[in-house]
Amino acid sequence: MSWSEKIMTIMQRPGQDPVAKDDVPWWMKYAGRGLGTVGSLIAIFLGAWNCVAILLGSIDCLISGMWQMVAGFVVVMIEAPCCCLFIDFVQNLSDWVEKRPYWNRAAAYCLMALPPVFLCLGMSSLFGSGLIFATGVIYGLMSLGRKAPLHEMRSAMTNIEVPSSSMQATLVENAQPIGFSSKPDSNV
């Protein structure tokens, strides 16, 4: 067993199959999980910092900070359930989300990250929610899958079929080209 295989077995989640079912690169999985974990913890801290704006009388920034803290907590529950061992349903939620396609997680993270930015546009809400949004972007890229091999892309490019209607076809059967149309009357 090589060193990387030992690390991979240590980093596996409980009940996870040792063989990956999808063709997403390992580094992209760890990038999404790592950015989600670290980014959501930063988002929670910056959301609390954003809530301090209530001292200045900004209700929108208070709501934005609370939303950002809840979004960060949801992301940390999904990405790193070991951080929330004190809540009993977190592991079940995390396992349920792991069974869903990547695009579901991408859409949820991107949609959760938008309201704090719209409510209170500041560096704390922009950076904190931006990290959650970036996690959603990584999961969106994971949902696209791996790129095809070069020889497969080249063969697909050479076998392009030309549709029955080419660029030379006209939309109307009796239309004449612009160069052959008659001159407009100058008497009108």
Side-chain angles (χ1 to χ4, degrees):
M1 182 178 262
S2 71
W3 177 256
S4 63
E5 290 173 348
K6 288 179 184 178
I7 297 294
M8 295 294 276
T9 56
I10 291 172
M11 297 297 287
Q12 281 181 358
R13 303 186 74 182
Q16 182 179 2
D17 291 337
V19 179
K21 294 183 182 96
D22 52 359
D23 58 349
V24 177
W26 64 270
W27 58 268
M28 196 170 235
K29 286 182 183 180
Y30 289 121
R33 191 162 298 277
L35 182 63
T37 303
V38 174
S40 61
L41 293 174
I42 292 172
I44 291 171
F45 173 73
L46 291 175
W49 183 260
N50 218 6
C51 286
V52 175
I54 192 65
L55 297 175
L56 301 174
S58 177
I59 301 296
D60 291 342
C61 288
L62 173 70
I63 295 170
S64 169
M66 289 189 305
W67 185 291
Q68 187 171 334
M69 289 190 321
V70 169
F73 186 69
V74 167
V75 172
V76 84
M77 280 192 321
I78 293 170
E79 295 299 327
C82 60
C83 294
C84 303
L85 290 176
F86 54 90
I87 302 175
D88 56 354
F89 68 89
V90 169
Q91 188 63 42
N92 294 336
L93 174 71
S94 179
D95 291 339
W96 180 76
V97 171
E98 285 294 321
K99 294 175 187 170
R100 309 289 305 158
Y102 288 129
W103 70 267
N104 291 106
R105 199 181 307 186
Y109 289 171
C110 289
L111 289 176
M112 278 192 307
L114 291 178
V117 175
F118 291 134
L119 286 171
C120 179
L121 185 60
M123 284 306 291
S124 60
S125 62
L126 192 64
F127 185 66
S129 293
L131 291 172
I132 295 173
F133 191 85
T135 304
V137 168
I138 287 176
Y139 278 109
L141 291 173
M142 287 168 62
S143 71
L144 293 176
R146 197 178 281 257
K147 194 168 73 168
L150 182 62
H151 64 86
E152 196 173 308
M153 288 192 291
R154 280 188 181 159
S155 66
M157 204 53 195
T158 57
N159 297 333
I160 294 177
E161 295 180 20
V162 177
S164 61
S165 62
S166 67
M167 295 294 286
Q168 304 298 328
T170 57
L171 293 175
V172 181
E173 294 299 324
N174 61 356
Q176 295 181 1
I178 294 174
F180 296 117
S181 62
S182 62
K183 218 193 265 183
D185 285 337
S186 59
N187 295 339
V188 178

